[in-house]
């Protein structure tokens, strides 16, 4: 084995270790999303507390990924293509860390909502939206490991559906608040939960764009599909 081959093998091994940490981090984030929405639906304050405490492990993994990526760059002096791979891993880890933060925020609000009268139908709709985003993250992490640009593009296009779900929930919460002012506090918390889930979908879409960049060498040249028009309620749905 030549010195160049040895360096390449060592780089690949180090990169595989980073990718394994990203996969583990993604699994923790997926579980946190599902547990947070289940805690909301079942009013399980112990489960909500578990989600909040579990965020520390997600943060620790991001920190470890950044350390290993920096060490890889310093020791291996990667080529432009390999450097792009390492930097993309850091960006993906940062996006997953933000999703973990949003899941923790969901759990915090779930705890508050457990002490309020329930809003009819709201938690089931949020559960469906949370499940959709969890599946987005699962698919995009599969696409990352496989360098599958087509699967990543499927995730990217799916962001429109998550936005539509958010728009529908936003209107439902407005209706509940107008019909009974006693729903206002609970609906405000539920709205922030729905918005946090929508933002997780945005991060999944950002990861998809990184995967497309890794697989093809170019970012998508069209605007990502968006359907969040809550800032303009009079716009088209």
């Amino acid at each position: 084995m030549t010195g160049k081959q040895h360096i390449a093998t060592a780089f690949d091994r180090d990169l595989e270790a980073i990718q394994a940490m990203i996969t583990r981090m993604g699994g923790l984030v997926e579980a946190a999303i599902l547990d947070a929405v289940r805690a909301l639906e079942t009013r399980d304050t112990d489960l909500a507390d578990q989600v909040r405490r579990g965020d520390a492990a997600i943060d620790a993994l991001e920190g470890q990924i950044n350390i290993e990526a920096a060490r890889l760059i310093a020791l291996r002096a990667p080529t432009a293509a390999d450097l792009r791979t390492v930097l993309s891993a850091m960006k993906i880890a940062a996006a997953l860390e933000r999703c973990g933060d949003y899941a923790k925020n969901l759990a915090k609000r779930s705890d508050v909502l457990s002490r309020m009268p329930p809003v009819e139908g709201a938690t089931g709709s949020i559960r469906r939206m949370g499940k959709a985003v969890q599946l987005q993250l699962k698919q995009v992490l599969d696409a990352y490991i496989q360098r599958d640009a087509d699967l990543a593009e499927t995730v990217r296009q799916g962001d429109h559906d998550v936005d539509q779900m958010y728009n529908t929930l936003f209107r439902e919460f407005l209706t509940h608040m107008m019909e009974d002012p006693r729903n206002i506090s609970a609906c405000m918390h539920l709205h922030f939960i729905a918005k946090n889930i929508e933002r997780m979908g945005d991060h999944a879409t950002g990861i998809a764009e990184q995967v497309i960049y890794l697989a093809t060498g170019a970012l998508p040249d069209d605007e990502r599909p968006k359907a969040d028009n809550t800032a303009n309620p009079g716009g088209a749905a």
Side-chain angles (χ1 to χ4, degrees), residues 23 35 68 79 89 107 125 128 150 163 178 184 186 205 208 224:
T23 299
D35 285 346
E68 292 302 319
T79 63
S125 297
R128 288 188 289 273
D150 291 337
D163 288 343
M178 287 186 292
I184 289 175
T205 303
R224 70 171 64 177

Side-chain angles (χ1 to χ4, degrees), residues 69 73 80 82-93 210 214:
I73 292 169
D82 287 340
L83 180 61
R84 183 173 71 210
T85 303
V86 177
L87 294 178
S88 290
M90 295 174 74
K91 289 179 181 178
I92 290 169
Q210 286 297 314
L214 282 174

